[in-house]
Amino acid sequence: MSLHVRLPIQVLPPWRRAVLKVGSNLLAADGGGLTPRYAEALAAFISASHADGRQVILVSSGAVAAGRALLRQHAADGGGLVARQALAALGQAPMMGLWQSLSARSVAQVLLTHDDLRNRRRYLNARATLRELLALGVLPVVNENDTVAVDELKLGDNDNLAAIVAALVDADLLLIASDVDALYSADPRRDPVATPITYVPVLTPSILAMAGGSGSTVGTGGMRTKLEAAAKAAAAGIPTALFNGRDATTVQALQHDRLHGTLIAAASSRMQARKYWLRHAPAAPGHIRIDAGAVQALAGGRVSLLPGGVLGADGEFHRGDLVEIVDAIGRSVARGLCQYGAVELRRLAGRHSREIEGVLGYSYGAEVVHRDDLATVSDMEATA
């Protein structure tokens, strides 16, 4: 039973880009096939956000449940790993079809594994793809690539994937739609005196213990995985909102930045968390030398490093490495994740961005280091 009327209305933190995670229990209601029953309101929220100039990335479960419903005679609940992988492959198309039917915008499927996000090159490729889709006005629909991801399917939850994607795209907010109203002091379906917890400033072990470990009947996650995801997001400077995706009033309130649910605060601002990581993570051997104009431009902290400002690259580093950036006499200027390796940069130094593809035969983008992946000396001093 929904208890949202008992929850105080909270104002969502300001956001321009959000990741919305929708679980199987909202798309395959009562253990059956896919249904738009609850997805319609969530799709309306996404559309309203787009109309307000905001960006939303959808992390959607439901492929395994959809495949199971199509081949119910062959697929009992709790089937083996290979069977579940086959069901995921079968269910991807109807799951995407559901979201396309509810969206005026084109939807794009992005299949990821945790390994894609651990590998630096694939990490940058995934982020570049998502950014381009957002720039094109497309709704990206992300899911784990369950058909090939053995370990990831065993872990089996898109809650944590959503948190990783939120950090990947520098989101301002992680939204997790569930079938319960909020985090409770105990399971409200079993304990009639369980009380909702509407605001969590810090995720302590005692808060995590409240979540237990059970999941839904059609998905693989539970409140525990949602809190684990919120902890990952918080560490990246991203707050998390948990809410009841089955309650139309609750979902409609999100369009006006009002939350009936649980808000879990970020450990620090998103930018502070990002700059802190860039400051402290180990850098690759070598560095990028830049000219005086680029030094001055980067000092403002609002521009990317382009190949035209590069004088040269010393040492050996690869695409995706964290690299030191120095001026012409070797003084440290910044650090950042490089879109091109040292060998490529030596060929691109001093060139215009439009020449990249002609010089290399391919392009990873106009920037050598994107401004979102760059921390200047002043940034690093501020997070020391």
Side-chain angles (χ1 to χ4, degrees):
M1 181 176 66
S2 178
L3 301 173
H4 78 273
V5 293
R6 292 173 47 190
L7 301 177
I9 298 175
Q10 300 183 77
V11 178
L12 286 174
W15 66 276
R16 303 305 299 173
R17 179 181 296 165
V19 171
L20 169 63
K21 188 269 178 176
V22 179
S24 298
N25 51 7
L26 299 180
L27 299 180
D30 304 319
L34 296 183
T35 170
R37 179 179 177 184
Y38 303 119
E40 285 179 339
L42 294 164
F45 161 70
I46 295 172
S47 295
S49 299
H50 286 158
D52 289 338
R54 291 167 162 174
Q55 298 176 332
V56 178
I57 293 174
L58 179 62
V59 175
S60 178
S61 301
V64 172
R68 181 177 293 121
L70 290 174
L71 288 181
R72 190 173 298 279
Q73 68 273 27
H74 298 299
D77 288 347
L81 177 64
V82 174
R84 286 173 58 80
Q85 289 176 321
L87 293 177
L90 179 64
Q92 288 290 344
M95 188 264 287
M96 290 297 298
L98 172 65
W99 288 115
Q100 184 63 81
S101 71
L102 299 174
S103 175
R105 297 185 175 217
S106 296
V107 301
Q109 185 178 51
V110 181
L111 295 175
L112 298 172
T113 68
H114 287 299
D115 190 54
D116 291 325
L117 304 176
R118 284 194 295 261
N119 180 284
R120 282 193 294 265
R121 293 187 183 186
R122 295 206 295 269
Y123 178 96
L124 285 177
N125 288 338
R127 184 167 57 178
T129 297
L130 288 168
R131 282 177 173 168
E132 183 66 17
L133 290 172
L134 292 173
L136 293 172
V138 172
L139 171 62
V141 181
V142 180
N143 195 3
E144 280 191 287
N145 194 355
D146 289 342
T147 58
V148 298
V150 176
D151 290 338
E152 285 72 14
L153 192 57
K154 288 181 179 178
L155 292 172
D157 73 272
N158 272 345
D159 296 316
N160 280 286
L161 179 63
I164 295 170
V165 170
L168 175 74
V169 299
D170 296 315
D172 305 301
L173 181 65
L174 173 60
L175 296 159
I176 299 182
S178 182
D179 59 350
V180 295
D181 297 300
L183 171 65
Y184 280 78
S185 58
D187 189 339
R189 294 166 291 194
R190 300 177 182 177
D191 187 344
V193 298
T195 56
I197 300 171
T198 58
Y199 181 70
V200 178
V202 179
L203 276 170
T204 62
S206 61
I207 293 290
L208 288 171
M210 294 177 183
S214 61
S216 68
T217 57
V218 294
T220 49
M223 186 55 72
R224 179 81 183 192
T225 65
K226 291 168 177 53
L227 294 187
E228 290 172 351
K232 287 183 173 66
I238 303 168
T240 299
L242 308 176
F243 65 95
N244 191 338
R246 293 188 174 189
D247 189 281
T249 302
T250 295
V251 177
Q252 289 167 5
L254 293 174
Q255 298 180 20
H256 307 288
D257 290 330
R258 299 296 184 265
L259 171 66
H260 296 284
T262 297
L263 181 63
I264 300 171
S268 60
S269 75
R270 178 174 57 85
M271 189 57 67
Q272 286 172 332
R274 183 75 170 165
K275 301 300 185 185
Y276 185 88
W277 180 84
L278 288 169
R279 177 184 185 275
H280 291 282
H287 50 260
I288 301 169
R289 286 179 286 111
I290 63 175
D291 62 27
V295 170
Q296 185 175 4
L298 293 187
R302 297 180 181 178
V303 299
S304 302
L305 175 62
L306 303 178
V310 174
L311 295 174
D314 302 308
E316 295 301 324
F317 53 86
H318 304 284
R319 168 171 159 79
D321 283 347
L322 179 62
V323 182
E324 296 281 350
I325 302 170
V326 301
D327 64 14
I329 60 174
R331 292 177 300 191
S332 180
V333 173
R335 306 175 102 209
L337 294 177
C338 193
Q339 293 273 19
Y340 295 91
V343 173
E344 294 162 319
L345 274 184
R346 291 180 191 119
R347 298 176 62 189
L348 295 176
R351 302 271 191 167
H352 195 281
S353 293
R354 62 172 173 264
E355 299 179 77
I356 292 176
E357 189 159 0
V359 172
L360 299 180
Y362 54 87
S363 173
Y364 294 129
E367 305 91 356
V368 172
V369 180
H370 192 278
R371 62 180 178 273
D372 292 342
D373 300 326
L374 186 144
T376 65
V377 168
S378 59
D379 290 327
M380 293 187 283
E381 290 172 348
T383 56

